[in-house]
């Protein structure tokens, strides 16, 4: 079974940092783009970041660029999200997801992990 | 960049058919594939339609997707509604998500 399991969420103060991890299994991790998508409490889905198979290309939503860093370790089948300078607006469930499809015609997210909750509060 | 607009909520009775729309505000809806996700309370999203109208294995054929160039929109249609279909539904194209539609089956 294809599976993604996130970890690393928790309570952090504004201005603090947190590193999320996502362990992948059941598929050839190094062959796929990967993403982080977040969902604020009671709100909709927001794409956060993408990373190419070899880590050579990374893309971010404007609101996190310069503060968050997506990375991966293909030897460990793991995806990461380093989050710095956190603000209350970053409070959300963070999901990792495999990216399918083609870059030009369209891509999608499948499957998703169960998510890890990040709460930014003083 | 573009945005995808969905109705906030829809409701329908069991056994009936419901359609949820997703309207793109700039650029052609056909420019990029449209996907639909189902999210039940307390669970992660799961995909129910990809590439405008393709169903992943395991998704019932009661779920169908389409795009309409004239209205620049995509639609998710669920026929033979069941109470288990009650969930939030999100459209997605490129890195954009619609705001989500809460489907109530009553």
């Amino acid at each position: 079974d294809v599976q993604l399991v996130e970890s690393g969420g928790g309570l952090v103060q504004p201005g603090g940092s947190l590193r999320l991890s996502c362990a992948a299994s059941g598929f050839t991790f190094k062959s796929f783009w990967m993403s982080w998508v977040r969902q604020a409490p009671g709100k909709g889905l927001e794409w956060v970041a993408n990373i190419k198979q070899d880590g050579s290309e990374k893309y971010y939503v404007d609101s996190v660029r310069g503060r968050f860093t997506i990375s991966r370790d293909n030897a460990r089948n793991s995806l990461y999200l380093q989050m710095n300078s956190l603000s209350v607006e970053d409070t959300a469930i963070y999901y990792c997801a495999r990216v399918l499809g083609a870059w030009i015609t369209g891509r999608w997210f499948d499957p998703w992990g169960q998510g890890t909750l990040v709460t930014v509060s003083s | 960049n573009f945005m995808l607009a969905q109705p906030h909520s829809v409701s329908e009775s069991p056994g009936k058919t419901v359609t949820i729309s997703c309207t793109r505000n700039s650029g052609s809806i056909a420019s990029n594939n449209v996907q639909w996700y189902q999210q039940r309370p307390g669970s992660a999203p799961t995909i129910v339609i990809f590439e405008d109208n393709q169903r992943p294995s395991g998704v019932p054929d009661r779920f169908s997707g389409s795009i309409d160039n004239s209205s620049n929109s995509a639609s998710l249609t669920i026929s033979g509604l069941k109470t288990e279909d009650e969930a939030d539904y999100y459209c997605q194209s490129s890195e954009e998500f619609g705001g989500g539609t809460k489907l109530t089956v009553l």
Side-chain angles (χ1 to χ4, degrees):
Chain A
D1 270 7
V2 175
Q3 193 172 16
L4 299 169
V5 179
E6 301 93 337
S7 59
L11 175 63
V12 60
Q13 292 187 336
S17 298
L18 212 55
R19 188 194 194 208
L20 306 183
S21 299
C22 171
S25 60
F27 66 101
T28 306
F29 179 75
K30 65 182 180 182
S31 298
F32 293 89
W33 283 76
M34 296 294 295
S35 285
W36 288 97
V37 180
R38 68 183 178 182
Q39 185 171 34
K43 303 297 184 182
L45 302 170
E46 180 184 40
W47 167 77
V48 174
N50 281 344
I51 185 168
K52 194 176 180 179
Q53 290 91 331
D54 61 359
S56 62
E57 293 182 34
K58 303 175 184 182
Y59 300 94
Y60 301 91
V61 67
D62 286 348
S63 59
V64 309
R65 189 175 296 113
R67 301 187 299 120
F68 289 11
T69 302
I70 189 172
S71 63
R72 63 192 297 162
D73 184 340
N74 289 340
R76 295 179 182 271
N77 290 336
S78 293
L79 178 71
Y80 305 102
L81 186 67
Q82 177 66 44
M83 304 185 295
N84 298 330
S85 302
L86 285 161
S87 69
V88 293
E89 289 77 26
D90 297 314
T91 294
I93 296 173
Y94 286 74
Y95 298 99
C96 70
R98 184 178 62 174
V99 180
L100 299 178
W103 198 255
I104 299 293
T105 55
R107 48 208 170 272
W108 59 94
F109 309 98
D110 182 52
W112 301 52
Q114 87 288 349
T116 187
L117 177 62
V118 172
T119 303
V120 185
S121 174
S122 54
Chain B
N1 279 3
F2 61 90
M3 296 176 63
L4 299 171
Q6 298 181 234
H8 182 70
S9 63
V10 295
S11 62
E12 191 49 271
S13 302
K16 300 292 189 180
T17 296
V18 69
T19 297
I20 299 171
S21 63
C22 171
T23 303
R24 179 167 170 159
N25 72 333
S26 66
S28 171
I29 191 69
S31 298
N32 304 94
N33 294 330
V34 176
Q35 280 65 236
W36 291 90
Y37 301 86
Q38 177 191 69
Q39 186 179 33
R40 295 191 173 105
S43 296
T46 60
I47 193 161
V48 293
I49 294 290
F50 66 98
E51 290 185 322
D52 300 337
N53 56 19
Q54 300 300 302
R55 268 189 321 276
S57 60
V59 174
D61 60 6
R62 302 185 296 105
F63 289 77
S64 63
S66 64
I67 64 168
D68 180 354
N69 291 315
S70 65
S71 60
N72 213 36
S73 65
S75 293
L76 171 69
T77 298
I78 311 171
S79 60
L81 276 169
K82 300 184 177 184
T83 55
E84 68 202 47
D85 299 330
E86 190 162 288
D88 293 328
Y89 290 86
Y90 295 89
C91 61
Q92 171 255 323
S93 184
S94 187
E95 272 68 41
E96 296 298 324
F97 287 92
T101 298
K102 181 177 182 58
L103 169 62
T104 302
V105 182
L106 36 66

